[in-house]
Amino acid sequence: MSRTRKAQRQQGLVELLASDPFFTDQELAEHFQVSIQTIRLDRLELGLPELRERVKHVAEKAYGRVKSVASSDIIGDLIEINLDKSGISVLDTDTSMGFANSNVVRGHHIFAQANSLAVALVDAPLALTGSAEIRYLNPVKTGERIVAKAYVLQVQGKKRIIRVESFVRERQVFQGEFILFCRENITQG
Amino acid sequence: MSRTRKAQRQQGLVELLASDPFFTDQELAEHFQVSIQTIRLDRLELGLPELRERVKHVAEKAYGRVKSVASSDIIGDLIEINLDKSGISVLDTDTSMGFANSNVVRGHHIFAQANSLAVALVDAPLALTGSAEIRYLNPVKTGERIVAKAYVLQVQGKKRIIRVESFVRERQVFQGEFILFCRENITQG
DNA sequence: TTCATCCTAGTAGCTGCTCTTAATAGCTAG
DNA sequence: CTAGCTATTAAGAGCAGCTACTAGGATGAA
């Protein structure tokens, strides 16, 4: 009974905030007939940000502040690079990279960091991604710092196979294997 | 002289906040090289609301317009959606999405469009990408319009398998298979 | 000199949180 | 029956970004 109640309330909470982000914890507590603490626990479990963050996110979107995906060549900061061997980049996430109604970072930002690190690793004027197999292992919350490590596994002429693993502290959040091609035999970057 | 300074500052303040409402008093004080108190007096005299109120107003305005679909979470424009079935989105690329030294669109933009379309397809308040297998089939040049088509292949409880194919005119440029999870069993979005 | 204006400073209090620790009730498996 | 678990509530410290108020120093004009 009680686990049903909790699950129902949490689902209701997600839907309610998705439909209207302007509720305070106080109002939510009254709506669901529980204490403020319970609402805060729920938000914590569900990764739902506080009122001010939700409002800010809506406003930032309206203002076009949200980065769809940054336009610089490298997403994140390159802190180490060994051309055709290995490299590390760091990406500090922020609320603009999360979903509107939760503080979980959207996957394509994590992908973008990994992909651009892989591309940067290749010792060629132009490298393009041919294909990739990726896996998201753990959610990343906005504000967390993602460290991506990349290793070149194989070099075959114009083709490179690169493995990227991304971490938040000790927790692995992403892994991917990218197949890149250099120069003219373009597929995509 | 000093009345000029004050008048100038206040005019600058109004203009600055009109162009970007996201400054704190602290930041404004630094910008105008005065104390926080002066900024607060200025805001008081000019009837300018505090940061949180400004942000809230922007959010409330924006909220009236968008609402129905959380479509601004989508990279590209959603032009058709059939929840849990299929959807189409369009992304107009521009030079900011290309590599610095070539007019080829960077892969993560294409991925972002496909990924966010897949997420939007799922009929749940929160869906996250678990893994994906993707392939870049042809390069996209900056300025080209990418049309992404997505189909839900499988629904298994909280799991969805979604196929996305992206085209520039008749030319297919991308394909991907995404495995998404709804709500709690979070991996990544 | 005196006075008003401008600016700075400090304090108290507010809202809506976060983070931490702890206590309580109810259920469940050994 | 008891130990351990989950769900809930509570209490306290602290924070950001304010409002509102009081007070004092600096500057320029009369």
Side-chain angles (χ1 to χ4, degrees):
Chain A
M1 185 65 182
S2 68
R3 73 184 43 156
T4 307
R5 227 186 88 199
K6 182 184 179 183
Q8 275 186 338
R9 187 186 58 240
Q10 294 198 342
Q11 189 185 339
L13 193 61
V14 170
E15 284 164 8
L16 191 58
L17 289 184
S19 76
D20 183 347
F22 295 92
F23 291 107
T24 62
D25 285 358
Q26 176 69 50
E27 291 165 339
L28 294 168
E30 283 160 16
H31 181 271
F32 290 105
Q33 287 292 302
V34 291
S35 71
I36 284 194
Q37 285 77 5
T38 302
I39 294 296
R40 289 181 178 162
L41 268 180
D42 286 345
R43 279 201 297 101
L44 194 67
E45 285 176 17
L46 297 169
L48 303 172
E50 61 166 291
L51 168 64
R52 286 161 181 165
E53 288 300 317
R54 294 193 300 269
V55 168
K56 194 174 156 197
H57 200 275
V58 172
E60 282 180 335
K61 248 189 216 163
Y63 249 77
R65 276 194 158 208
V66 176
K67 302 157 199 150
S68 59
V69 168
S71 54
S72 65
D73 261 4
I74 298 263
I75 313 296
D77 298 315
L78 213 52
I79 59 171
E80 191 193 303
I81 189 132
N82 243 310
L83 282 176
D84 266 341
K85 291 208 181 93
S86 66
I88 297 177
S89 91
V90 167
L91 176 65
D92 284 311
T93 64
D94 61 53
T95 53
S96 75
M97 300 177 185
F99 285 94
N101 48 4
S102 89
N103 62 352
V104 176
V105 173
R106 313 204 78 218
H108 58 254
H109 288 104
I110 299 165
F111 176 87
Q113 179 194 18
N115 183 57
S116 63
L117 175 59
V119 169
L121 259 193
V122 174
D123 188 10
L126 189 57
L128 298 169
T129 310
S131 63
E133 227 170 280
I134 62 176
R135 194 148 304 184
Y136 294 97
L137 304 170
N138 273 295
V140 176
K141 297 208 168 168
T142 53
E144 290 184 317
R145 164 171 295 192
I146 306 173
V147 178
K149 301 177 184 180
Y151 320 88
V152 176
L153 300 182
Q154 248 185 68
V155 179
Q156 287 179 345
K158 300 186 171 186
K159 187 169 136 191
R160 302 278 184 290
I161 301 181
I162 296 178
R163 178 168 195 79
V164 181
E165 294 176 337
S166 301
F167 300 82
V168 171
R169 276 183 288 267
E170 300 304 300
R171 186 173 101 246
Q172 187 170 358
V173 296
F174 173 93
Q175 70 178 50
E177 223 167 279
F178 295 81
I179 299 182
L180 305 193
F181 296 91
C182 308
R183 256 208 301 273
E184 292 135 39
N185 297 11
I186 291 171
T187 307
Q188 186 57 53
Chain B
M1 187 64 181
S2 68
R3 75 183 43 153
T4 308
R5 223 186 95 199
K6 183 185 178 184
Q8 275 187 338
R9 188 185 58 239
Q10 293 199 343
Q11 190 186 337
L13 193 59
V14 170
E15 286 166 8
L16 191 57
L17 289 185
S19 75
D20 184 346
F22 295 91
F23 291 106
T24 62
D25 285 359
Q26 175 70 51
E27 290 167 339
L28 294 167
E30 282 160 15
H31 181 271
F32 290 106
Q33 286 291 302
V34 292
S35 71
I36 281 195
Q37 284 76 3
T38 300
I39 293 297
R40 289 181 177 162
L41 270 178
D42 286 345
R43 277 201 300 101
L44 196 68
E45 286 176 18
L46 298 168
L48 300 173
E50 61 167 293
L51 167 65
R52 285 162 182 169
E53 288 301 314
R54 297 193 299 270
V55 168
K56 198 175 156 194
H57 284 152
V58 171
E60 280 173 342
K61 244 189 223 167
Y63 202 63
R65 280 183 252 135
V66 194
K67 208 170 183 179
S68 57
V69 196
S71 60
S72 32
D73 257 2
I74 297 212
I75 312 295
D77 298 315
L78 208 55
I79 60 170
E80 191 192 302
I81 190 133
N82 244 311
L83 282 177
D84 266 342
K85 291 207 182 95
S86 66
I88 297 178
S89 89
V90 168
L91 176 66
D92 284 311
T93 64
D94 61 52
T95 51
S96 77
M97 301 177 185
F99 284 94
N101 51 1
S102 86
N103 61 351
V104 176
V105 173
R106 313 205 77 216
H108 58 254
H109 288 103
I110 298 165
F111 175 87
Q113 179 193 18
N115 182 57
S116 64
L117 174 59
V119 168
L121 257 194
V122 175
D123 187 9
L126 189 59
L128 298 170
T129 310
S131 62
E133 228 170 276
I134 62 177
R135 192 146 308 180
Y136 294 96
L137 305 169
N138 273 296
V140 175
K141 299 211 168 163
T142 54
E144 289 184 316
R145 163 171 296 194
I146 306 173
V147 177
K149 302 178 184 181
Y151 322 89
V152 176
L153 299 182
Q154 248 186 65
V155 179
Q156 288 180 343
K158 302 185 168 183
K159 189 170 136 189
R160 302 277 184 292
I161 301 182
I162 296 178
R163 178 168 195 79
V164 181
E165 293 176 338
S166 301
F167 299 83
V168 171
R169 276 183 288 268
E170 301 305 302
R171 186 173 101 246
Q172 188 171 356
V173 296
F174 173 93
Q175 70 177 51
E177 224 167 276
F178 295 81
I179 299 183
L180 305 194
F181 296 91
C182 309
R183 258 209 300 280
E184 294 137 37
N185 297 13
I186 290 170
T187 307
Q188 186 58 53

